[in-house]
Amino acid sequence: MKKLKSLPLAAKIFLGLALGIVAGVCFLPAPQLAVDYIKPFGTIFLNLIQFIVVPIVFFSIICGVISMKDIKKVGSVGVKTLIYYACTTAIAIAIGLAIANAFRGLFPVLTVSDLTYEAKEAPTIMETIVNIFPSNIIKPFADASMLQVIVASLFFGFAIILVGEKAQPFASFVESVNEVCMKIMEMIIALSPIGVFCLITPVVAENGPQILGTLTIVLLAAYIGYILQAVLVYSTTVKAMGGVGIRDFFKGMGPAMMMAFSSASSVGTLPLNLECSEKLGARKDIAAFTLPLGATINMGGTAIYQGVCSLFIASCFGVTLTMPQMLTIIFTATLASVGTAGVPSAGMIMLAMVLQSVGLPVEGIALVAGVDRIFDMGRTTINITGDAACAIIVSRMEDRREARKAAKENGAA
């Protein structure tokens, strides 16, 4: 027990994940037992995370804005963040389409008659813009509407900077509350190994037979795409632009990636991702801004899922997508990553939008809906990895920008 307690958190989470997979296999003959008696404890763990994640996002972003002390600097960080997310999302879906094309001859031929899937309506661009701005201060917190929470925190942060000295008591209060929230987060994260075990066990117990079924090739194609995105895009950009080695990056991100894989929740993984990113060198003020934003709009892993599933569904309906159609998928999925931000089942809504953009039947989603949870575990892991990469890179870019500015001022003096 002493040796177990002395293990680092990453090792404990990995142990919980491994034991959960083994337990899930043991429950394959009776998956309902795992659902009835183990999953509730995983739900409790997720509830605790969701309970603290909104105040952490709100107060940490305010603290991040205050620490920057300059609204122009916030704008600089925001522009860099959005450009990185947009570019890596476009690359991700291109990778997904390339992998899907390579696997197209191996995709199983499934029956596509009598398919039914009712697509949720995606918001229009104008509705998305309107919905970003909260109509009252309570509703975004009650609904955990992350984009609205982010906007509200930016207004508070900007106001504190503009008011100046008179706002210092409120700024001190915000920083104090933020420290309390972080301590609560640490207490909850200490339960991660147990939470991961309770979350992964019922997933394996319920989906084990399906994983070995006809959709194995499609899942394999998606997961190859996920790995390529992590290795070729995120880790290499972090090394080139953030100064963090590939091995160090994945080692440092281990706890957050395992948490994301088992929970399939970007927002739920946010507290742990903040901790991992800061240990890898991301500045606290910048990570507090870029990670919550990324958890809401960065959909690199989801974009790969769009590419693979679009080509799979097309092949099932006997449709061969042209190059212009594939470019349309890349463009649509990149825009949809923001358009569906904060919407429940965003991955499915995005896929419906992508299928409609190239004239494929939305009903084809029913072919992959049964194993969407398995897709979701991988794409969430990639999403949060991209969030962390962005935080590290933007931190380094801002460090260099400030160093140049300081050198210029010293030279002028």
Side-chain angles (χ1 to χ4, degrees), residues 57-67 71 74 134 136-138 140-141 148-164 166-168 170-175:
V57 169
F58 182 72
F59 289 108
S60 65
I61 287 183
I62 294 177
C63 289
V65 172
I66 295 171
S67 64
I71 294 177
V74 178
N136 65 63
I137 194 64
I138 303 298
F141 291 87
Q148 292 189 352
V149 171
I150 290 169
V151 168
S153 63
L154 288 175
F155 273 108
F156 274 94
F158 292 157
I160 290 170
I161 291 174
L162 294 172
V163 170
K166 289 184 179 180
Q168 284 309 304
F170 184 71
S172 298
F173 167 76
V174 169
E175 290 171 356

Side-chain angles (χ1 to χ4, degrees), residues 32-82:
Q32 197 59 40
L33 289 175
V35 173
D36 290 342
Y37 298 103
I38 295 179
K39 186 177 180 179
F41 293 100
T43 303
I44 290 171
F45 175 66
L46 281 182
N47 286 347
L48 288 172
I49 290 176
Q50 290 166 356
F51 145 75
I52 198 62
V53 77
V54 172
I56 280 181
V57 169
F58 182 72
F59 289 108
S60 65
I61 287 183
I62 294 177
C63 289
V65 172
I66 295 171
S67 64
M68 293 185 199
K69 300 178 182 178
D70 186 355
I71 294 177
K72 290 182 180 179
K73 183 178 176 181
V74 178
S76 173
V77 171
V79 169
K80 291 182 178 74
T81 300
L82 292 174

Side-chain angles (χ1 to χ4, degrees), residues 12 38 46 74 127 178 184 196 218 238 247 270 297 300 321 343-344 361 390 393 402 413:
K12 291 179 182 177
I38 295 179
L46 281 182
V74 178
E127 284 175 338
N178 187 53
I184 294 173
V196 165
V218 186
V238 164
R247 183 178 178 183
L270 181 57
I297 69 170
L321 295 178
V343 179
C390 181
I393 289 168
E402 290 173 7

Side-chain angles (χ1 to χ4, degrees), residues 53-396:
V53 77
V54 172
I56 280 181
V57 169
F58 182 72
F59 289 108
S60 65
I61 287 183
I62 294 177
C63 289
V65 172
I66 295 171
S67 64
M68 293 185 199
K69 300 178 182 178
D70 186 355
I71 294 177
K72 290 182 180 179
K73 183 178 176 181
V74 178
S76 173
V77 171
V79 169
K80 291 182 178 74
T81 300
L82 292 174
I83 290 174
Y84 183 84
Y85 287 153
C87 291
T88 53
T89 298
I91 293 170
I93 194 165
I95 288 174
L97 288 170
I99 295 296
N101 273 300
F103 275 77
R104 187 165 53 183
L106 300 175
F107 284 155
V109 178
L110 302 179
T111 302
V112 294
S113 59
D114 300 325
L115 289 177
T116 57
Y117 177 83
E118 186 176 346
K120 296 181 181 179
E121 185 178 353
T124 65
I125 293 176
M126 293 309 300
E127 284 175 338
T128 299
I129 293 173
V130 170
N131 291 336
I132 286 174
F133 297 92
S135 58
N136 65 63
I137 194 64
I138 303 298
K139 198 169 187 297
F141 291 87
D143 296 343
S145 178
M146 301 309 294
L147 274 180
Q148 292 189 352
V149 171
I150 290 169
V151 168
S153 63
L154 288 175
F155 273 108
F156 274 94
F158 292 157
I160 290 170
I161 291 174
L162 294 172
V163 170
E165 189 66 30
K166 289 184 179 180
Q168 284 309 304
F170 184 71
S172 298
F173 167 76
V174 169
E175 290 171 356
S176 177
V177 174
N178 187 53
E179 289 299 320
V180 172
C181 290
M182 289 296 180
K183 181 55 66 174
I184 294 173
M185 176 194 75
E186 289 179 17
M187 296 163 60
I188 296 171
I189 285 176
L191 301 173
S192 295
I194 298 172
V196 165
F197 172 86
C198 296
L199 287 168
I200 199 69
T201 298
V203 172
V204 175
E206 285 188 298
N207 295 286
Q210 291 178 329
I211 295 175
L212 300 176
T214 57
L215 293 175
T216 302
I217 297 298
V218 186
L219 286 165
L220 178 62
Y223 272 81
I224 289 175
Y226 296 153
I227 293 169
L228 289 177
Q229 177 75 2
V231 175
L232 297 181
V233 180
Y234 295 142
S235 63
T236 54
T237 54
V238 164
K239 184 176 182 179
M241 303 170 67
V244 178
I246 294 175
R247 183 178 178 183
D248 292 335
F249 177 66
F250 285 119
K251 183 178 179 181
M253 283 299 297
M257 292 176 75
M258 285 183 278
M259 178 66 189
F261 185 79
S262 57
S263 67
S265 172
S266 294
V267 174
T269 310
L270 181 57
L272 193 56
N273 203 12
L274 278 165
E275 183 178 311
C276 292
S277 299
E278 288 178 28
K279 287 181 179 178
L280 285 169
R283 284 167 44 172
K284 188 173 182 179
D285 56 342
I286 291 175
F289 177 79
T290 58
L291 292 184
L293 187 62
T296 310
I297 69 170
N298 181 35
M299 302 271 187
T302 308
I304 293 170
Y305 161 80
Q306 314 300 320
V308 171
C309 289
S310 295
L311 259 72
F312 166 64
I313 292 170
S315 67
C316 288
F317 282 94
V319 176
T320 301
L321 295 178
T322 63
M323 183 57 67
Q325 286 177 313
M326 291 186 191
L327 292 174
T328 300
I329 290 174
I330 294 174
F331 180 74
T332 304
T334 303
L335 292 180
S337 66
V338 177
T340 57
V343 179
S345 303
M348 286 293 195
I349 295 175
M350 283 177 66
L351 183 55
M353 292 173 68
V354 168
L355 293 178
Q356 289 170 341
S357 71
V358 291
L360 290 173
V362 175
E363 292 82 2
I365 294 177
L367 294 169
V368 295
V371 290
D372 184 64
R373 168 74 183 197
I374 312 302
F375 283 114
D376 200 8
M377 291 160 68
R379 68 191 183 222
T380 301
T381 304
I382 298 307
N383 288 345
I384 66 100
T385 304
D387 298 343
C390 181
I392 296 167
I393 289 168
V394 173
S395 294
R396 290 291 182 271

